[in-house]
């Protein structure tokens, strides 16, 4: 079991805070991400509709619920961009390299986000809640990225 330091706790708390900014209609799907290198926050991201597109909150319904799509399937049928994707996109727009960084995220990344994380050069992922996507874990493992399930009761 991993031993968590005060910085891991701080950045996971920050991911939890960023998740509250989500425009996702489902409260249990509000996801936040913080990308850090050398104890410095590089970018943050939360799940929500692209700029200029009305969110599910604004529309008053979740497209995935309307279509009865299970979690972990058909990610393309959602107005939201994932938190990890938004954090990586923000870094690209600002010209910030993510090489060697750590991603703190409220939820385990999906396979699409995992591919982006690999190509962005992120070397460590810390997440709180699991996600039903074994393929994502396979991609992360093959790429040699450290992935850790954050369990705060195992702190140092």
């Amino acid at each position: 079991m991993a031993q968590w330091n005060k910085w891991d706790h701080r950045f996971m708390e920050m991911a939890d805070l960023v998740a509250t900014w989500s425009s996702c209609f489902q409260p249990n799907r509000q996801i936040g991400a913080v990308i850090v290198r050398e104890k410095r926050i590089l970018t943050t991201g939360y799940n929500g509709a692209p700029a200029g597109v009305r969110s599910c909150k604004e529309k008053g319904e979740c497209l995935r619920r309307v279509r009865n799509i299970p979690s972990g399937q058909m990610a393309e049928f959602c107005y939201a961009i994932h938190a990890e994707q938004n954090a990586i996109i923000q870094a690209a727009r600002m010209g910030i390299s993510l090489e060697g960084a750590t991603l703190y995220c409220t939820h385990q990344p999906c396979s699409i986000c995992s591919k982006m994380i690999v190509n962005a050069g992120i070397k460590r992922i810390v997440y709180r809640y699991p996600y039903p996507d074994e393929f994502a874990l396979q991609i992360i493992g093959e790429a040699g990225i450290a992935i850790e399930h954050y369990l705060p009761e195992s702190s140092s």
Side-chain angles (χ1 to χ4, degrees), residues 34-56:
V34 178
I35 302 178
V36 174
R37 187 175 49 236
E38 297 175 9
K39 300 178 184 173
R40 301 279 184 233
I41 296 171
L42 302 175
T43 63
T44 62
Y46 54 90
N47 59 327
V53 175
R54 287 179 39 224
S55 71
C56 291

Side-chain angles (χ1 to χ4, degrees), residues 95-147:
I96 299 171
S97 169
L98 302 179
E99 190 68 38
T102 296
L103 167 72
Y104 292 89
C105 195
T106 56
H107 292 67
Q108 172 199 314
C110 71
S111 57
I112 295 167
C113 290
S114 295
K115 293 173 198 176
M116 292 178 69
I117 289 164
V118 169
N119 280 356
I122 293 168
K123 296 299 179 197
R124 179 178 177 233
I125 301 166
V126 179
Y127 71 94
R128 184 185 308 273
Y129 302 109
Y131 185 69
D133 191 339
E134 289 298 318
F135 186 53
L137 296 176
Q138 179 185 340
I139 290 167
I140 291 165
E142 282 187 36
I145 295 173
I147 184 163

